[in-house]
Amino acid sequence: MARDQNHLPLEIQQTALLQLLTNSLVLSRTAPYLSCYDVLNLAATSRAFRYLIYQTPQVFRRLDLGNVKTAQFDVDAIDHGGETWRNVQVDENLTEDDFYSGPLRGIFYNLKRFDILRDVQVLTLDGLSVTAELIHDILIDPAFSVRILSIRDVKNLNNRKLRQALQYACRDSRPEGTPRLQGLYVFGPKEPTPGALIKEQSMSPSPTSPAAVAAAWNSKSQKALTASLAEEPEAWYERRGKQFPHRIDQEWASTLVACDGIIAFDAVLCTGPRHLNSPAWGKVNIEALNAAAASPASASIPHFQVATHSLGGCAGCGSAPEGWTTWGEDGHSRDRDTRRSSNIGKFPLLAPPPVHSSTLGAAMCPSGQSVRPHHPFANKAEKKKARFVPRCFDCIRDRYCTGCNQWWCETCYAGAGANSGPDQAHVIKSCWECGMNCKECIDTTQRMCKRCGGGYCLIHNEGSDLVACDWCVGRSRRFRELY
Ligand SMILES: [Zn+2]
Ligand SMILES: [Zn+2]
Ligand SMILES: [Zn+2]
Ligand SMILES: [Zn+2]
Ligand SMILES: [Zn+2]
């Protein structure tokens, strides 16, 4: 006879769960799906659980504070003397940093007290109040062992100070073995949180029945599984075109150069032949390109620039002057500093930050590929190459169709400005809002009005139909209404 496990005596439930979790593989596979709160709750249920959780380093290897309520920066809570604020020493010398990083510093203080902080290798602070000073401490303070850090969509962050902290951590005279940080997610958007904030997630553990904890775990891993199945195409390797919702400050380029080979980001430098870091630097006639440029903007291009677009092969030659960025192919070492790795800076970190591993390979590896491509058992023939061409917008301005992501490289096409008439141009701007489009895209979106002969866009001239422009369609409607 099947029996509902909730009807079993409490001691048996506890013993069964304890036996299951004593298998360290089960524990380390389950823990990443839980909040800190759930884990500490479980630890508080009995001495055995407490021992198990605090003595297994993998339990806190990955820590996501993004959905922990205490980590939220809430001015009201501070004004009313909320619990959050009590973690921080309040005095008249309070700095702006103390103020905005107060909630997180309080949590880190507690984690250090429980001796958990040093186990944390993948730390997610997405959407929280995170100051540059706090990140500086995570980079420098030996109490932290964070290897992969995510600070996407954070608040109160001074980007200039953050860039300085990163450049300082990667300076040539840095101590051996530092920084421990190897990967930083900062440019992309944070993952949408499934459902609302999980209520009452404080860092102080309170006892709950193991059955309740187990039920919560089960539903969470189910959700995580559903979410991962509904994944959209992989950034960079599969999803072509624009990669970021926001503009990236030009100043970031020199930070990526300074951190090259030491800290990887969720973006890479543009490899276009007009940049100093390009494998094709010096191989393309830049003077001719500049002379042919349609606008002054496409003639002056910075030495280094963060790539914002992922492209496939050029529509003309199928490749790019600089070649592809192909997963598994080693990067060229651009630096004589042997403490720099050639893959860090070549491949972007992929979202979300890894769940079951804290290695950089896992954070960069495209889905369906192996983390160690040269593994003897990896079947190379069967696998489709995961590759892309990373470009900044300046490098594709006159040679890229925003409609279908087709583009023409510098060797195949000088640019829209080089051609005598629109007939020879691969991309032209026929609708202001559509931007530069190729002939096929223009054929599907642009029409000539059968009544007035004017041009219109099916997407952006709202109210137009397949034969007439919005103005003529509106006029005939008004005419019918009058008579
Ligand atoms: Zn080409
Ligand atoms: Zn570029
Ligand atoms: Zn197109
Ligand atoms: Zn349009
Ligand atoms: Zn018309």
Side-chain angles (χ1 to χ4, degrees), residues 209-230:
S209 85
V213 173
W217 285 19
N218 199 20
S219 101
K220 272 180 209 172
S221 36
Q222 201 60 47
K223 267 185 219 150
L225 185 69
T226 321
S228 71
L229 288 175

Side-chain angles (χ1 to χ4, degrees), residues 401-406 408 437-442:
C401 171
T402 52
C404 63
N405 299 320
Q406 269 200 103
W408 287 263
N437 277 169
C438 72
K439 288 193 188 79
E440 289 107 80
C441 285
I442 288 171

